[in-house]
Amino acid sequence: MGAVSGIVAAVAGLAFAQLAAAAVRPESAPVTAVGGAAVDLTPVAVREWAIRLFGPSDKLVLTLGIVVVLAAVAALAGLLSVRHLPAGIAVAGGFGLLGAAAALSRPEAGWRDALPSLLGGLIAAGVLYLLVTAATRPRPAGTGSGGGAWSMDRRGFGRLVTGVLAASVAAGFAGRRLGAHGSAGATASRARFVLPRPTVPAPPVPVGADLRVPGLGPFLTPDRDFYRVDTALVVPRVDADTWRLRIHGEGVTRPLTLDLRQLLSRPLVEHDITLTCVSNEVGGPYAGNARWLGVRLADLLREAGVRPPSRGGPADQLVSRSVDGMTIGTPVEAVMDGREALLAVGMNGEPLPFAHGFPVRMVVPGLYGYVSACKWLTELRLTTFGAYDAYWVRRSWAQQAPVKTQSRIDTPRPYADLAPGRVAVAGVAWAQHRGIEAVEVRVDGGPWRQARLGAADGVDTWRQWVWPWEATPGRHTLEVRATDGTGAVQTGVRAGTVPDGATGWHSVEVQVKALG
């Protein structure tokens, strides 16, 4: 009964905190705030391990882990309360203070963000006091047999617990509904949003760019399959009608504040760009190719009076800020050197999905996402790399990170059992803003063989490739390497993702069955 009291108290505290968070902002909910703080404090090596192991489910695993730990501590607090009620109450209240501290540590947090956790801690402490004192209150003489501290019968205790849980479920449900109502404006604004026609449309994807090899994904990655790596435990849902973008900082002679309508009044460019996450291991899945629609970032910066360093501008870093406080630092020179760096509003012919940054995000070909691809964009500030370290730079990643040449075998899959004879070995290779000139494959360390490349869709996208292999019985190792548009051959030296991207050749082991 003591353990149950602690867990029920925690459920009540979380439920009412969720209700309070609906009135503040979703990021102030205790589990979300603690999870965000945990992400910030997690060592880089541990975070990279979690991304490799759990992939896009890493945030769900973190949330479940927080809930499990909270349940265990709550049960211990309940047991402690039976023996020493003030100590148990202090543990329950302490978790409220911990949640409040985590909420206040989040970017963009204000004093109101602490309120849900503080309320949750008070309610948890109050419910724990109620349940434990009710269960241990001395029983009047003649009301039953037996002894011991526990005086309330299990049926009565069960009714009290049921009442508390019912109230908690009602509060949690109300919090979810209010939260959904709060984001209803954002959902409606996206539903109403119609992408304008591009001023500079992208040409059709070249015939032959998509090789249509079984086991090889499409040339353009569908939105639902596009990778997502970020720190947001709750996907921000931004109302397009109230969205604003501020451009200011060093070298800005004409600061700008734009709403979405004003942004869309500028010329819109459509361009195919492959994005890659720096957490992508050799052969990893965190790369995707899409058709983006947006405003040229360089044009917008020039409108604000910005000059790149090569033309005497004082700022060499463009710090983009998300609505959730994430900061990303991008070289000013890169976004103004003529490449199609965009403030994107569309993805594959549709408004950006919420998970990919609606209403506006940055896309810069040739740079890893952590130094270029700010989602849910709300601010652009011009500064220097010497004066400011963005979020990931403060966590051991490099300040500048051009995408490294990579190639990947998508089919056959690792450890596949194959029939002898002709096998299509196929995959993708990328070197954004340099392009892919050649792809080679070898078997068991033998000579490199030229693969057939799909048609090129510019230098900013990946290229598909295929090589016909006459497979013979036995266990074999397939390797791939690419050559970029400058003639540089992909290095075979293996290096991890930290600090600026992985290197090495992707390899796949397969088993070819014996004849007969």
Side-chain angles (χ1 to χ4, degrees):
M1 293 173 98
V4 169
S5 297
I7 292 174
V8 171
V11 169
L14 288 177
F16 281 91
Q18 184 71 38
L19 178 59
V24 180
R25 61 173 186 150
E27 293 83 2
S28 66
V31 172
T32 302
V34 171
V39 170
D40 287 351
L41 297 173
T42 299
V44 170
V46 175
R47 185 179 182 278
E48 292 298 289
W49 169 83
I51 291 175
R52 289 195 303 271
L53 184 63
F54 302 114
S57 300
D58 60 340
K59 298 172 185 64
L60 175 61
V61 172
L62 173 61
T63 301
L64 291 176
I66 292 171
V67 171
V68 168
V69 170
L70 179 60
V73 173
L76 291 174
L79 293 172
L80 179 62
S81 297
V82 174
R83 293 165 175 78
H84 192 271
L85 184 57
I89 297 296
V91 171
F95 260 75
L97 294 175
L98 176 64
L104 291 174
S105 74
R106 310 309 302 136
E108 310 297 311
W111 65 268
R112 297 172 70 246
D113 289 81
L115 297 180
S117 291
L118 293 177
L119 176 64
L122 286 173
I123 288 177
V127 169
L128 185 60
Y129 176 84
L130 171 68
L131 294 177
V132 171
T133 54
T136 59
R137 185 181 299 117
R139 182 182 296 173
T143 58
S145 59
W150 293 95
S151 63
M152 177 178 280
D153 60 67
R154 293 185 182 276
R155 184 173 300 176
F157 183 75
R159 286 195 295 268
L160 185 57
V161 165
T162 300
V164 172
L165 288 177
S168 301
V169 168
F173 179 75
R176 294 294 296 272
R177 289 298 298 270
L178 288 173
H181 178 73
S183 63
T187 303
S189 72
R190 184 179 183 276
R192 291 191 303 269
F193 183 54
V194 178
L195 287 179
R197 283 183 167 286
T199 310
V200 184
V205 173
V207 175
D210 196 328
L211 295 176
R212 303 185 185 280
V213 176
L216 182 60
F219 179 74
L220 291 176
T221 309
D223 294 1
R224 66 180 180 277
D225 298 329
F226 209 94
Y227 77 92
R228 178 192 163 208
V229 178
D230 54 51
T231 63
L233 270 68
V234 176
V235 173
R237 300 178 76 85
V238 181
D239 190 329
D241 297 332
T242 60
W243 175 85
R244 298 292 184 273
L245 173 66
R246 182 186 179 207
I247 303 176
H248 66 110
E250 294 183 42
V252 175
T253 59
R254 294 179 293 276
L256 298 174
T257 299
L258 305 174
D259 61 22
L260 189 58
R261 180 185 58 79
Q262 292 169 323
L263 179 69
L264 296 179
S265 69
R266 274 79 177 166
L268 291 173
V269 175
E270 197 175 47
H271 194 60
D272 297 342
I273 301 172
T274 296
L275 298 187
T276 311
C277 180
V278 74
S279 295
N280 200 46
E281 294 280 351
V282 172
Y286 300 126
N289 188 41
R291 175 158 290 191
W292 305 93
L293 175 69
V295 174
R296 285 192 175 110
L297 180 53
D299 291 348
L300 207 57
L301 293 179
R302 291 189 189 98
E303 186 179 335
V306 175
R307 291 174 294 134
S310 60
R311 296 191 177 183
D316 61 4
Q317 179 179 204
L318 177 66
V319 176
S320 51
R321 182 178 293 271
S322 166
V323 296
D324 66 354
M326 169 60 66
T327 56
I328 286 176
T330 308
V332 173
E333 198 69 50
V335 300
M336 300 187 76
D337 67 359
R339 73 185 74 194
E340 294 289 12
L342 302 176
L343 295 188
V345 296
M347 180 179 182
N348 291 329
E350 298 289 337
L352 292 171
F354 283 112
H356 291 290
F358 181 84
V360 180
R361 68 169 295 167
M362 272 179 59
V363 178
V364 183
L367 303 180
Y368 284 115
Y370 86 99
V371 292
S372 67
C374 185
K375 295 185 281 191
W376 314 293
L377 182 66
T378 189
E379 180 188 4
L380 293 172
R381 180 169 66 89
L382 279 296
T383 183
T384 64
F385 284 106
Y388 183 80
D389 285 337
Y391 181 90
W392 291 115
V393 176
R394 297 195 297 269
R395 289 158 178 82
S396 302
W397 297 90
Q399 282 188 332
Q400 303 191 40
V403 171
K404 297 178 179 179
T405 302
Q406 283 291 317
S407 51
R408 186 179 73 199
I409 299 171
D410 288 340
T411 184
R413 307 297 295 173
Y415 310 113
D417 289 323
L418 307 175
R422 178 157 292 195
V423 174
V425 181
V428 290
W430 58 85
Q432 293 93 309
H433 205 53
R434 301 186 303 280
I436 292 295
E437 187 68 29
V439 170
E440 300 168 287
V441 183
R442 71 177 180 181
V443 182
D444 299 329
W448 290 101
R449 307 294 185 184
Q450 287 284 335
R452 178 170 66 89
L453 290 175
D457 185 21
V459 297
D460 293 332
T461 67
W462 59 21
R463 291 184 77 174
Q464 295 187 347
W465 58 267
V466 62
W467 178 66
W469 172 42
E470 295 296 334
T472 58
R475 183 171 294 278
H476 299 284
T477 299
L478 305 170
E479 290 178 292
V480 63
R481 71 180 185 184
T483 301
D484 72 15
T486 70
V489 179
Q490 176 185 347
T491 180
V493 177
R494 279 273 179 167
T497 57
V498 182
D500 59 358
T503 62
W505 298 328
H506 186 216
S507 63
V508 169
E509 277 197 12
V510 296
Q511 179 71 43
V512 180
K513 301 173 185 175
L515 294 170

